[in-house]
Amino acid sequence: FDMLVIEPGATSIGKYAFYNCVDLEAFEVGKQVAVVDRTAFEGCNNVGYACFGNMEVDVSELALPEDVIYFCFKDSGVHKFAKENNKNYVLIDDEESYLITEETENLSWTLNKITGVLTVNGSASLSEINTDALPWDAYKIYIKEIVFEEGITDITADYSAYSNLEAITVPSSVN
């Protein structure tokens, strides 16, 4: 599962920027990006989710698969395009509606509900946490992938109830 996030600072995405990225399944374009060239995602035939943070960005001529689901703000250019062209879309209120982040003394995690990627970092051992209730258990239906970053020393937990979980990335810091 490959997800692309256009980081803050980028204001446009040029011609053929991600041409033929066949492994790309989802992308998120931040609110600073006002221009996306129509060929930017040409050949990215496996994109299922596209999230746009800019209210005015024009996606009407983007080369995306017919069944892509657009995540957008109400009354944005993307929302109007999706409605007018019978495209699948999900309205988002703000960044908090699809990003969930929590921090404790030695553990922090972020879940992107659009992509299903849970990123866990810090210097914790999950076996030291009450494994009957991991901090993100309430969101397990959204989780498709868990990425444990360097510093996590133990990932022992029962993941059997995570029905949509497809992958777990284990760092070398795990014993």
Side-chain angles (χ1 to χ4, degrees):
F1 184 83
D2 282 341
M3 165 70 179
L4 169 70
V5 177
I6 307 298
E7 296 293 335
T11 57
S12 65
I13 303 173
K15 292 180 181 181
Y16 301 103
F18 303 100
Y19 179 75
N20 261 355
C21 289
V22 294
D23 291 332
L24 184 62
E25 296 179 17
F27 64 85
E28 179 182 331
V29 177
K31 59 186 169 192
Q32 298 87 356
V33 177
V35 177
V36 180
D37 187 85
R38 65 182 180 80
T39 63
F41 295 96
E42 193 167 304
C44 300
N45 299 327
N46 292 314
V47 172
Y49 305 97
C51 181
F52 294 90
N54 187 300
M55 290 291 288
E56 304 304 321
V57 70
D58 180 10
V59 297
S60 62
E61 294 185 27
L62 281 185
L64 290 173
E66 283 296 312
D67 60 346
V68 70
I69 300 171
Y70 294 90
F71 287 79
C72 54
F73 294 106
K74 184 175 178 154
D75 298 324
S76 67
V78 177
H79 178 221
K80 291 172 187 170
F81 164 77
K83 277 181 23 181
E84 291 169 4
N85 292 280
N86 249 357
K87 303 289 183 182
N88 296 318
Y89 67 91
V90 174
L91 294 179
I92 53 178
D93 296 326
D94 54 30
E95 190 172 280
E96 284 74 40
S97 65
Y98 67 92
L99 283 181
I100 302 165
T101 301
E102 288 191 17
E103 292 185 33
T104 63
E105 184 177 319
N106 59 352
L107 179 76
S108 66
W109 58 273
T110 301
L111 171 63
N112 184 317
K113 291 184 351 185
I114 296 171
T115 63
V117 177
L118 171 68
T119 304
V120 183
N121 54 47
S123 59
S125 168
L126 293 190
S127 62
E128 295 173 2
I129 298 173
N130 178 1
T131 56
D132 290 335
L134 290 170
W136 48 82
D137 272 354
Y139 306 102
K140 63 185 160 215
I141 191 154
Y142 296 103
I143 299 172
K144 294 180 182 175
E145 178 181 4
I146 302 175
V147 177
F148 291 104
E149 295 189 338
E150 288 298 325
I152 301 296
T153 57
D154 177 34
I155 63 167
T156 304
D158 181 6
Y159 300 101
S160 62
Y162 290 69
S163 57
N164 294 316
L165 185 60
E166 299 170 358
I168 297 177
T169 301
V170 181
S172 61
S173 57
V174 169
N175 300 331

